[in-house]
Amino acid sequence: MNKLKKEAWWDRKKLSELTDTQWEQLCDHCGKCCLLKLEDEDTGDVYYTDVSCKLMNEDDCTCSKYHEREVLVPDCLKLTKDNLEEIAWMPLSCAYRRIMEGRGLPDWHHLVCGDKSEIHQQGHSIVGKFICESQVNEDDIEERIVEWPLTNGN
């Protein structure tokens, strides 16, 4: 007798239906949203840099002061159920964007594979690819524009 596999909560719920705990669990800890971005004032185009927020943990792409981040980094944009659709700059690989667009979670996501380090091992995070903003002169940030955070949407 075949047993039907129960659909995972992230596949059956809309983002607006997630509990706060589920919302937090959905983050894949890629760190791409914590890279500094530059916006072209004329076109509105957003460009990623390989420069991270000063609070980024380089080993696992978590925020070292997560619950204080909005106070310590005033321009930190907290991703919420209410503003997700307005943030067009989220990378295609972002778990929130994937769920919003009906693409489900990839095999390397920790909720699917059970291993929070898999995203880093598979190269889908910023681990080993960024420099902390405290190590970069503000005038040089424009020289650090990169495309790789946006090229991996699987």
Side-chain angles (χ1 to χ4, degrees), residues 48-127:
Y48 277 73
T49 70
D50 66 351
V51 181
S52 76
C53 167
K54 63 186 177 186
L55 301 179
M56 175 63 66
N57 283 324
E58 62 184 64
D59 295 329
D60 63 1
C61 294
T62 58
C63 181
S64 63
K65 303 283 186 185
Y66 185 73
H67 296 290
E68 303 166 80
R69 68 191 186 283
E70 293 173 88
V71 173
L72 297 171
V73 181
D75 61 347
C76 178
L77 183 59
K78 182 179 179 180
L79 191 61
T80 69
K81 299 171 196 176
D82 297 327
N83 70 2
L84 183 62
E85 291 186 20
E86 300 167 19
I87 304 173
W89 51 261
M90 293 301 290
L92 291 171
S93 60
C94 172
Y96 298 104
R97 183 170 180 175
R98 291 179 62 96
I99 297 299
M100 183 177 71
E101 294 174 350
R103 294 186 290 127
L105 296 179
D107 292 342
W108 46 261
H109 192 284
H110 63 92
L111 290 174
V112 176
C113 72
D115 183 355
K116 286 190 175 189
S117 67
E118 188 67 19
I119 186 172
H120 312 304
Q121 292 172 13
Q122 295 277 333
H124 297 288
S125 74
I126 69 170
V127 166

Side-chain angles (χ1 to χ4, degrees), residues 3 6 15 26 29 35 39 68 81 88-89 102 108 126 132 146-147 154:
K3 293 185 178 183
K6 185 177 177 183
L15 289 173
L26 194 55
H29 302 288
L35 292 172
E39 183 176 1
E68 303 166 80
K81 299 171 196 176
W89 51 261
W108 46 261
I126 69 170
C132 181
V146 292
E147 293 184 22
N154 53 335

